[in-house]
Amino acid sequence: MASKDPVIIFDTTLRDAEQTPGATLTVREKLEIAHQLAKLKVDVIEAGFPISSEEDFQAVSRIAKEVEGPVICALARALPKDIDRAAEALRDGRKVRLHTFIGTSPQHIAMLRKNADEVFQMAVASVARAKSFCEDVEFSPMDATRSDENFLFNVVDAAIKAGATTINIPDTVGYAVPLQFGNLIWRIVQWIKMNSKENHYHHSVVISVHCHDDLGLAASNTLAALKNGARQAECTLNGLGERAGNASLEEVVMALRTRQDFFGLSCGVDNLLLVPTSQMVSRLMGITVQPNKAIVGANAFAHSSGIHQDGVLKARTTFEIMRPEDVGWGTEGTRIVLTARSGRHAVQDRLAKLGYKLEKGSDELDRTYERFLMVADKKKEVYDEDLVAIVSDEIRDIPEKYHLEYLQVVSGTSTIPSATVRLRIDGSFQEIQESAWGDGPVNAAYRAIDKAAGVSAKLEEYAIRAITSGAEAMGEVTVSLSQNGHRATGRGASTDIIEASVKAYLDALNRLSFLEQNGGQVSTAWPNGNGQAEAPLAESSAAPAT
Ligand code: KIV
Ligand code: ZN
């Protein structure tokens, strides 16, 4: 059998998906995700955009140093200061890539307040500068699918001559449709082959694609491009990313695998880790996965109609083209259940298998174990999902400005719901107690917290889900708050949903306060929207959302 051409899986969850409003990740959370991506065996991790904030710089630098396996990539606009900062962040990494980009469509050129010649020169100069730091250089003509084709081909040619080893064709605004996009990629691939034969190039070049999902076509466009000669797919877990998101990694990977007969391509991703990785990203970014999401949604393998259930029971392949266990959905028989009798070592060991390394004797392991015992007492059986919710609650590294000391809620069919909370603020000795009433117990608790903390954040989103089933199930609440132009998402888990709601609210408030103190820098929700206009012109350090 002919060997399958390998596809490079380039994960940009930590860069493009981290631009999702409210998806605030700390350096430590980014490292945790990066280690998990390495286990998942993606080929390249785009770890961040170092010029955008000190936190992003630190995250890229630590990931480049500490995460083994994949190539670690940093993003930079086509500006010397961006490229130098990205190179500095990558300095101590072993396998690194510098990715530089500039808009080439009429809309983006106009926004840059440049002409096409100037953009061309900036592209070439930035690739050459990146090459002086790093052998592995990727260049993206942003908004390629709305660019003039002659200009696009010429910029691509010049970038390769300047040393780019990967040319990424972004469908930045999700405008492409599969047939047309596949055809564009085919022509670029052929044209590069022709130019390279004529000895213009001194190295081989990989064609990559980066598709956004504004028309719901990101994965389809990516697959059409791969079928037509692209050999790198840029994607994110759960399809997260700017606006409607990016091509979803799990969909691209499983399409390549399930339809090898059609694509004839292979990739090295460990499909058994798709669901655990999706869940880790969802939990840390505070963005729930829609139940009907392909591969990783809770209903992706649920058969509810009688005919479907009957068919699947008789022969699985009647209604299933993939097996849930092949993408990492645990089957009841293989589930590990811990109980109040499980020791610290068993909990630590199970957490390590789930991707959370807690050091023996560390405060975090102690706190996690104490919480585990409390939950095990109430719930009797603690599943992996519960354990992950507990550990995510206990290992956050955002400073805890607002700490809950006491909560009492009164509610009932003929009472006005009311709540009393006591908070310790900034670790002071003095506790602040306030009471409030509300439409419901959660609303009353949130109003009491606002009074005690002296804040007036706007509740943008509130979501609750049961982590496992049964009357004693743990509930996980995700809350999104905005205040003074910042937005942050918090999470909380407990067997008591009011307590989970309060924890999530305080977590979001702590994140908001951290954002405000750091000038909004922990999040890459950059203030200038698509900010390209001021990007290369002003010496502002504010980087654009891409
Ligand atoms: O969407 C986009 O064009 C990008 C580039 C930086 C590749 O994210
Ligand atoms: Zn993008």
Side-chain angles (χ1 to χ4, degrees):
M1 205 168 71
S3 71
K4 315 251 181 245
D5 240 7
V7 171
I8 298 166
I9 299 294
F10 176 114
D11 180 275
T12 183
T13 305
L14 294 174
R15 200 276 298 167
D16 213 317
E18 225 259 335
Q19 293 172 204
T20 312
T24 45
L25 290 177
T26 62
V27 173
R28 179 184 175 144
E29 288 169 335
K30 286 182 188 173
L31 258 167
E32 221 173 277
I33 293 180
H35 279 295
Q36 181 67 18
L37 290 171
K39 277 196 193 156
L40 182 65
K41 296 203 176 69
V42 304
D43 301 286
V44 185
I45 296 176
E46 188 162 52
F49 194 176
I51 193 101
S52 70
S53 70
E54 180 55 29
E55 276 71 22
D56 237 31
F57 177 86
Q58 291 302 337
V60 173
S61 158
R62 287 197 54 191
I63 291 170
K65 237 185 285 177
E66 295 172 32
V67 176
E68 285 176 25
V71 171
I72 306 303
C73 173
L75 184 70
R77 290 170 296 183
L79 289 175
K81 64 178 181 185
D82 278 40
I83 293 166
D84 296 357
R85 191 77 175 139
E88 201 186 331
L90 294 173
R91 199 184 50 208
D92 297 327
R94 274 155 299 199
K95 274 162 68 184
V96 295
R97 173 181 298 183
L98 215 154
H99 177 191
T100 182
F101 72 97
I102 190 162
T104 50
S105 66
Q107 294 86 338
H108 280 246
I109 294 173
M111 193 170 52
L112 291 167
R113 285 182 257 133
K114 300 273 175 197
N115 63 38
D117 268 357
E118 288 168 319
V119 164
F120 185 93
Q121 297 308 335
M122 285 170 78
V124 173
S126 67
V127 172
R129 193 175 187 98
K131 197 73 180 178
S132 72
F133 293 113
C134 186
E135 188 43 43
D136 188 350
V137 173
E138 174 166 333
F139 172 72
S140 291
M142 184 151 85
D143 203 13
T145 48
R146 292 192 301 165
S147 302
D148 171 81
E149 264 196 41
N150 270 337
F151 184 59
L152 175 66
F153 278 48
N154 285 333
V155 173
V156 164
D157 177 53
I160 298 172
K161 283 186 190 143
T165 40
T166 299
I167 294 290
N168 179 44
I169 305 296
D171 181 28
T172 304
V173 291
Y175 179 70
V177 288
L179 266 181
Q180 195 185 26
F181 191 56
N183 182 270
L184 172 69
I185 298 302
W186 170 256
R187 284 180 294 114
I188 292 177
V189 169
Q190 298 315 314
W191 188 72
I192 289 178
K193 267 192 196 152
M194 193 187 77
N195 280 359
S196 95
K197 271 204 195 110
E198 287 170 12
N199 275 340
H200 289 123
Y201 307 152
H202 304 289
H203 54 275
S204 59
V205 182
V206 172
I207 295 299
S208 164
V209 288
H210 174 109
C211 299
H212 278 271
D213 209 30
D214 299 65
L215 292 172
L217 294 172
S220 310
N221 282 327
T222 303
L223 292 165
L226 294 176
K227 184 71 184 165
N228 281 282
R231 286 297 173 264
Q232 174 173 288
E234 300 202 352
C235 28
T236 59
L237 263 302
N238 303 338
L240 292 171
E242 278 287 329
R243 307 180 308 281
N246 290 60
S248 134
L249 183 145
E250 59 277 11
E251 290 173 19
V252 171
V253 165
M254 287 316 289
L256 290 179
R257 190 143 295 168
T258 311
R259 294 305 313 273
Q260 264 198 18
D261 59 320
F262 176 74
F263 290 106
L265 297 170
S266 66
C267 79
V269 167
D270 179 355
N271 36 305
L272 296 177
L273 291 180
L274 286 172
V275 169
T277 312
S278 148
Q279 292 179 346
M280 175 188 272
V281 167
S282 159
R283 200 167 299 109
L284 291 179
M285 288 200 167
I287 301 175
T288 41
V289 177
Q290 77 199 56
N292 59 325
K293 169 82 183 57
I295 324 286
V296 295
N299 294 347
F301 294 90
H303 301 275
S304 54
S305 88
I307 296 178
H308 283 223
Q309 285 177 353
D310 185 48
V312 169
L313 288 176
K314 284 185 182 135
R316 228 174 168 166
T317 51
T318 326
F319 286 104
E320 272 183 12
I321 57 167
M322 298 167 276
R323 296 184 315 166
E325 55 270 35
D326 289 345
V327 297
W329 284 107
T331 49
E332 287 303 318
T334 59
R335 259 181 162 185
I336 302 287
V337 181
L338 298 173
T339 67
R341 286 188 304 281
S342 307
R344 196 178 296 258
H345 183 68
V347 171
Q348 184 194 15
D349 192 55
R350 191 66 206 143
L351 281 168
K353 294 209 168 74
L354 295 168
Y356 297 87
K357 277 209 181 98
L358 301 194
E359 295 301 325
K360 192 174 165 200
S362 67
D363 271 6
E364 284 162 347
L365 181 59
D366 286 350
R367 282 203 311 273
T368 303
Y369 188 63
E370 267 168 41
R371 271 287 301 285
F372 159 79
L373 287 178
M374 278 155 63
V375 172
D377 235 22
K378 285 194 186 147
K379 247 187 123 242
K380 309 299 175 225
E381 294 185 324
V382 179
Y383 293 97
D384 285 352
E385 296 90 325
D386 300 317
L387 208 52
V388 169
I390 294 170
V391 74
S392 318
D393 252 15
E394 296 302 325
I395 62 170
R396 296 198 197 131
D397 51 342
I398 289 278
E400 200 181 19
K401 180 174 167 106
Y402 306 108
H403 177 77
L404 181 72
E405 290 289 348
Y406 173 84
L407 165 71
Q408 190 194 47
V409 175
V410 180
S411 171
T413 45
S414 50
T415 359
I416 295 178
S418 64
T420 301
V421 298
R422 209 181 301 139
L423 297 185
R424 189 181 296 282
I425 301 180
D426 278 332
S428 92
F429 287 116
Q430 210 188 340
E431 292 172 1
I432 300 185
Q433 179 168 316
E434 286 292 349
S435 301
W437 58 268
D439 297 335
V442 172
N443 179 244
Y446 285 2
R447 290 171 83 165
I449 291 173
D450 283 354
K451 273 167 102 182
V455 297
S456 57
K458 181 163 177 245
L459 180 63
E460 301 282 355
E461 274 172 39
Y462 173 94
I464 182 160
R465 72 177 186 105
I467 293 172
T468 43
S469 54
E472 295 296 347
M474 290 251 288
E476 186 176 59
V477 173
T478 306
V479 156
S480 198
L481 297 181
S482 64
Q483 184 172 265
N484 302 332
H486 297 291
R487 186 169 167 145
T489 302
R491 300 178 310 277
S494 171
T495 46
D496 174 339
I497 58 168
I498 313 272
E499 190 186 321
S501 304
V502 164
K503 280 184 170 171
Y505 195 79
L506 287 171
D507 184 35
L509 276 186
N510 285 326
R511 284 170 184 265
L512 268 181
S513 139
F514 187 70
L515 279 177
E516 279 169 14
Q517 271 164 22
N518 291 276
Q521 301 280 293
V522 72
S523 153
T524 35
W526 293 302
N528 305 318
N530 201 9
Q532 290 289 305
E534 73 173 51
L537 301 172
E539 274 301 300
S540 135
S541 65
T546 52

